[in-house]
Amino acid sequence: MAGNVYHNLLSFGCEVDFISNDEGDFIKRRFVDSRLSQQLLREDIGHGVESLPISSIPDLSKYDAIVFSDYAKGLISWDFANKVCRQTKSPIFVDSKQIDLSCYPNSVIKINQKEIDQGPCFAQPYELIITKAKDGAVWRDREYKAPPVSVYDVSGAGDVFHATLSVITTVTGNLETGIKCAVKLATKSVEHVGTYCITREDIMEVLSESFELSEA
């Protein structure tokens, strides 16, 4: 959920203004096979919430990036999202379960294969990244393969991808670099049981591979 994206952004050392519903509004109950340490199914408990009023949009000029993580529970209305996208000059990153994504112009939109098969609509201009689980991601018909690993739990992998993509693309100004790092860190997350939040060590390992950095 959005909270996991938030915690992954914090792992990168970002300062984040987190706008969300109350934690108690929704519960994700996961059923895990204890022998295999793999999730079998998930039950979402909770009802819709009241949408954020447009009047609550803060001064967007102070942000280096805007990150939407919308699980279609009612918090983010079409009008709210569209107003933010048209007001800000910062890069916008979107992960939404909505089918109508036309409220997100000028955005980088992450969507998985199941969601793209539902036929979502978009507003120009936009960049579309399709995540394909163990097969990595696709952008502009280019494939970004994920390294082979033992998969224990995919919970939260999309959140890791979204957070990484947002940070690396914003810092480097290069979307392709953001995608490559996002694939690598999302792959790391599935090697752990439960909703995994990336660590500084995970980040430094991937960045060192990508940029030949040395940790101070």
Side-chain angles (χ1 to χ4, degrees):
M1 296 182 75
N4 193 37
V5 176
Y6 166 67
H7 287 295
N8 280 286
L9 290 172
L10 293 182
S11 293
F12 276 98
C14 297
E15 294 182 12
V16 183
D17 284 348
F18 182 47
I19 302 172
S20 184
N21 53 276
D22 293 334
E23 287 188 6
D25 289 338
F26 300 101
I27 298 173
K28 283 188 176 183
R29 179 179 293 163
R30 293 182 170 88
F31 297 84
V32 178
D33 186 324
S34 59
R35 296 170 300 171
L36 301 176
S37 296
Q38 292 184 339
Q39 178 176 301
L40 301 177
L41 59 92
R42 190 188 78 197
E43 178 186 15
D44 290 355
I45 304 170
H47 303 285
V49 298
E50 186 175 345
S51 298
L52 292 166
I54 290 179
S55 60
S56 68
I57 296 175
D59 175 12
L60 301 177
S61 65
K62 63 181 179 179
Y63 298 115
D64 296 314
I66 307 295
V67 182
F68 284 99
S69 181
D70 180 18
Y71 280 72
K73 301 301 184 182
L75 185 71
I76 302 175
S77 67
W78 192 99
D79 289 337
F80 184 93
N82 191 250
K83 188 77 169 180
V84 170
C85 291
R86 295 193 181 280
Q87 281 189 353
T88 186
K89 295 181 180 179
S90 301
I92 306 162
F93 301 90
V94 177
D95 183 4
S96 175
K97 302 303 180 186
Q98 302 282 3
I99 294 178
D100 182 3
L101 299 173
S102 62
C103 55
Y104 294 108
N106 308 305
S107 300
V108 176
I109 299 174
K110 179 191 83 70
I111 197 168
N112 63 35
Q113 187 62 57
K114 179 180 178 181
E115 292 161 348
I116 200 68
D117 291 342
Q118 294 174 345
C121 58
F122 307 96
Q124 296 285 354
Y126 69 96
E127 293 286 353
L128 182 64
I129 299 166
I130 304 171
T131 55
K132 303 174 75 69
K134 64 180 179 61
D135 293 322
V138 174
W139 171 59
R140 295 188 178 182
D141 295 325
R142 304 172 198 166
E143 294 187 353
Y144 300 87
K145 294 292 187 181
V149 296
S150 297
V151 177
Y152 288 95
D153 197 335
V154 299
S155 302
D159 297 332
V160 171
F161 187 103
H162 191 38
T164 304
L165 177 72
S166 303
V167 174
I168 300 300
T169 302
T170 300
V171 171
T172 65
N174 189 306
L175 181 55
E176 186 170 39
T177 299
I179 296 170
K180 291 177 179 179
C181 291
V183 168
K184 290 178 181 179
L185 278 168
T187 300
K188 280 188 170 295
S189 75
V190 303
E191 297 181 89
H192 302 267
V193 177
T195 302
Y196 185 70
C197 182
I198 51 176
T199 65
R200 185 172 186 272
E201 289 73 22
D202 294 329
I203 294 167
M204 289 305 302
E205 181 179 338
V206 167
L207 294 185
S208 296
E209 294 172 356
S210 302
F211 301 103
E212 298 184 355
L213 299 177
S214 59
E215 185 173 359

